[in-house]
Amino acid sequence: MNARVVFSPTIGYRINDKWSAGVKIGYAPTFITLSTNDSESGEILTNRKQRQDNINLDFFGRYTIWGINGFNICLQGELQSGYIHSKMTRPTAKKALLTAVLAPDEVSRGFQVGVTLFPLLTYDITKHLSVLAELNILGVSYYFKKDFITSTYTSIEDGEKSVTSSQSQNSVTLNLNSKASLKFGIEYRF
C-alpha cells in the first residue's frame, strides 16, 4: 500500500506578456507498507513500513510561445533542488522468519538537483484567474541524486551494529511515456 500527498505552493512574477518567473516550494510525504505473503495460504508473514519526506525548492522561467483568446502554449524550464529523508523499519514477523532477523532498519538522507524543460498549457478564465496543465509527458529532464544510507542490524554476538554507505545517481530522461507527470493547477494574478 502506498500513500502520497504533495503540497507545492508557487509564487511568480509576470515580467511581460511573454515572460514569467517564480519559485515553487514543495513538501511530499510518502508512506509505504511492504508485506511478505505465504505463497500457499496467502497469509501475511512480515510487514515493513517506510516513510519518505521530500522537501523541494524549485525556480522556474516560463515563456509564452503562442496565445489566442486566453489560450496560451508555453515552455517552462525549472531548476530543481530537494532534500530527501527516508526511514524503513525492520520487518515485524508474524511468524519466525530468518529474513525478519537479518533485515536492517534503514535511514537514508540525500539531496537531488535537476533541470527540466516541458510544455505548459494555460487558459485565462478572467484577467486574474487561469487554469494550467503541466505536460511533463513531453519534457526532458536531468537529475543528480546523492544518498547517505545508515543500516542498523541486530547481531546475536554484538547487539546493534550500524553500517553507513552512500550512492550517487545521474539520469537524463526524455519523458515520452505514461510514467511521466501530468499536473493541473489554478493560477491567480494580483
Side-chain angles (χ1 to χ4, degrees):
M1 180 178 103
N2 297 345
R4 183 181 172 119
V5 176
V6 178
F7 180 69
S8 182
T10 303
I11 297 174
Y13 179 73
R14 185 175 245 175
I15 300 166
N16 56 38
D17 288 342
K18 292 284 186 185
W19 286 97
S20 299
V23 64
K24 290 182 185 180
I25 300 168
Y27 174 66
T30 304
F31 303 92
I32 301 169
T33 301
L34 305 169
S35 299
T36 305
N37 297 340
D38 185 302
S39 60
E40 292 176 13
S41 67
E43 180 183 4
I44 295 175
L45 301 176
T46 64
N47 277 329
R48 192 169 193 185
K49 297 184 187 250
Q50 179 180 9
R51 176 181 175 150
Q52 180 172 310
D53 295 305
N54 295 326
I55 301 170
N56 290 51
L57 179 62
D58 304 338
F59 300 94
F60 71 88
R62 183 183 305 160
Y63 178 73
T64 303
I65 298 169
W66 179 78
I68 188 168
N69 296 332
F71 179 76
N72 300 296
I73 298 174
C74 308
L75 190 60
Q76 183 161 310
E78 294 183 359
L79 176 62
Q80 301 164 330
S81 62
Y83 172 76
I84 303 162
H85 179 269
S86 176
K87 182 173 184 178
M88 183 176 287
T89 61
R90 181 178 293 124
T92 55
K94 304 278 183 183
K95 294 188 173 185
L97 287 177
L98 189 58
T99 56
V101 175
L102 296 178
D105 283 334
E106 292 181 349
V107 176
S108 171
R109 292 174 179 84
F111 66 90
Q112 66 182 21
V113 292
V115 178
T116 189
L117 186 66
F118 57 88
L120 179 80
L121 301 177
T122 67
Y123 180 71
D124 299 330
I125 298 170
T126 67
K127 180 181 174 184
H128 298 285
L129 189 64
S130 298
V131 291
L132 53 93
E134 292 183 5
L135 301 174
N136 210 354
I137 54 174
L138 301 170
V140 62
S141 302
Y142 167 77
Y143 287 101
F144 172 76
K145 184 177 178 184
K146 179 84 170 176
D147 289 316
F148 302 93
I149 303 163
T150 302
S151 301
T152 305
Y153 295 88
T154 301
S155 171
I156 295 171
E157 299 92 27
D158 303 330
E160 294 284 318
K161 190 175 197 176
S162 293
V163 177
T164 302
S165 63
S166 67
Q167 61 187 21
S168 298
Q169 177 182 358
N170 285 308
S171 64
V172 176
T173 308
L174 179 60
N175 296 328
L176 294 173
N177 59 45
S178 61
K179 292 184 181 181
S181 66
L182 176 62
K183 298 177 188 173
F184 296 98
I186 297 173
E187 185 174 79
Y188 182 80
R189 291 184 299 280
F190 295 96

